[in-house]
Amino acid sequence: MDLGKVIDALEKFAPLPLQDDYDNSGLQIGLTAGQEVTGALLCLDVTPAVIDQAIACGANLIVSHHPILFHSLKTVSDSDYTGGMVMKAIKNNIAVYSAHTSLDNAPGGVSYKMAQLLGLQNVKVLDPICNAVRENAGSGVVGQWENAVPLADALDRIKRTFSVECVRYAASAQMNVKTVALCGGAGDFLTDKAKALGADMFVVGEAHYHRFLGLDSMALVEIGHYESELCSTVLLQDILHAACPQLETRIAHSECPVRYLK
């Protein structure tokens, strides 16, 4: 399958016009559109180790959630972290495509995948955006568990689902949780929206300190940026398996760069 058809499949699910203004989703490092893709390696972040994995498994396409080229490069040099990766990818004829906020804002995107993993029902977009490209697009989601559960049980379910060893949260110890809002990554900008829609709990990847204040009856839970969005690799694989079943895809091995000292 040629690269252009793979990109078409990704952008049919997550059209580039859905991305936020600050973002740089799309083809980051390109082969020609007609070049044959030998395999796709899927990752959250493009790192030197991920490029090495692509080389080792013979994949000439890396599809990431976070863009490798988020900030502009003034020089491309192997003495620079990002520049070195760009050079290495080009030297090894590897294309890089990133679906960032285009995938976040797409119906069925990253937050929807989080909701699916948590077993939420009646899931709908938390903060819709007006966009002629796709209906029901927007940031975050909100849904319900079939039955309300005590706070401790809800936190344990979140830890197990997203394989996190610890969470940061603010909540009333006596509360029960049924309606859950979610936003992967730095989603705390939707805290007020989650409260207004009656969420018992709002789960995000990152939250600023002041967001934990004045929550009243809603719990705010921070699980880590990496941990909240790692499911994007599975989502990308689902998209490509459905649209390009003949394309070999692999999920890259990765570890969270942030460590916790217990």
Side-chain angles (χ1 to χ4, degrees):
M1 174 168 287
D2 66 59
L3 178 64
K5 291 182 179 179
V6 177
I7 291 176
D8 286 345
L10 292 167
E11 294 183 358
K12 183 177 181 180
F13 186 95
L16 291 182
L18 290 182
Q19 69 179 310
D20 294 337
D21 292 340
Y22 65 82
D23 198 16
N24 188 36
S25 295
L27 188 63
Q28 310 278 294
I29 301 171
L31 305 174
T32 58
Q35 186 156 344
E36 192 72 14
V37 176
T38 58
L41 187 66
L42 316 175
C43 63
L44 177 60
D45 298 293
V46 182
T47 66
V50 166
I51 297 175
D52 287 340
Q53 289 178 58
I55 295 169
C57 71
N60 65 350
L61 172 63
I62 294 172
V63 182
S64 70
H65 182 45
H66 292 150
I68 185 174
L69 297 177
F70 193 72
H71 302 289
S72 61
L73 290 178
K74 294 185 177 180
T75 61
V76 179
S77 167
D78 59 8
S79 63
D80 174 74
Y81 180 75
T82 301
M85 289 192 293
V86 171
M87 290 181 65
K88 191 169 191 176
I90 292 173
K91 285 180 179 179
N92 289 277
N93 205 33
I94 294 173
V96 178
Y97 184 96
S98 300
H100 189 212
T101 55
S102 58
L103 189 63
D104 288 330
N105 294 333
V110 177
S111 295
Y112 280 90
K113 189 65 177 179
M114 294 174 68
Q116 179 187 28
L117 294 173
L118 272 176
L120 297 180
Q121 303 171 358
N122 305 316
V123 177
K124 61 182 181 180
V125 64
L126 182 60
D127 188 30
I129 57 175
C130 296
N131 191 299
V133 175
R134 188 67 52 84
E135 294 183 358
N136 301 316
S139 302
V141 298
V142 60
Q144 293 82 36
W145 281 318
E146 184 175 358
N147 299 302
V149 299
L151 174 66
D153 292 347
L155 292 173
D156 183 65
R157 186 179 299 184
I158 289 165
K159 287 175 63 178
R160 287 186 284 106
T161 299
F162 297 106
S163 300
V164 297
E165 296 184 7
C166 65
V167 297
R168 292 205 314 161
Y169 74 96
S172 167
Q174 305 303 317
M175 71 180 300
N176 291 321
V177 178
K178 181 177 175 66
T179 301
V180 181
L182 300 162
C183 187
D188 70 346
F189 67 99
L190 293 173
T191 302
D192 293 339
K193 187 74 173 183
K195 287 176 62 178
L197 291 179
D200 301 312
M201 175 179 284
F202 184 31
V203 182
V204 299
E206 292 182 56
H208 292 85
Y209 167 77
H210 71 276
R211 292 292 187 182
F212 290 96
L213 304 175
L215 293 171
D216 301 322
S217 60
M218 187 182 78
L220 177 62
V221 182
E222 180 189 73
I223 64 174
H225 197 124
Y226 173 93
E227 291 84 356
S228 72
E229 294 190 322
L230 188 58
C231 63
S232 64
T233 59
V234 179
L235 176 58
L236 289 167
Q237 189 169 57
D238 291 344
I239 294 167
L240 291 176
H241 276 179
C244 311
Q246 66 273 42
L247 176 66
E248 182 179 357
T249 63
R250 301 185 186 198
I251 294 177
H253 171 74
S254 65
E255 295 182 354
C256 180
V258 180
R259 298 288 184 263
Y260 298 91
L261 179 63
K262 297 180 180 178

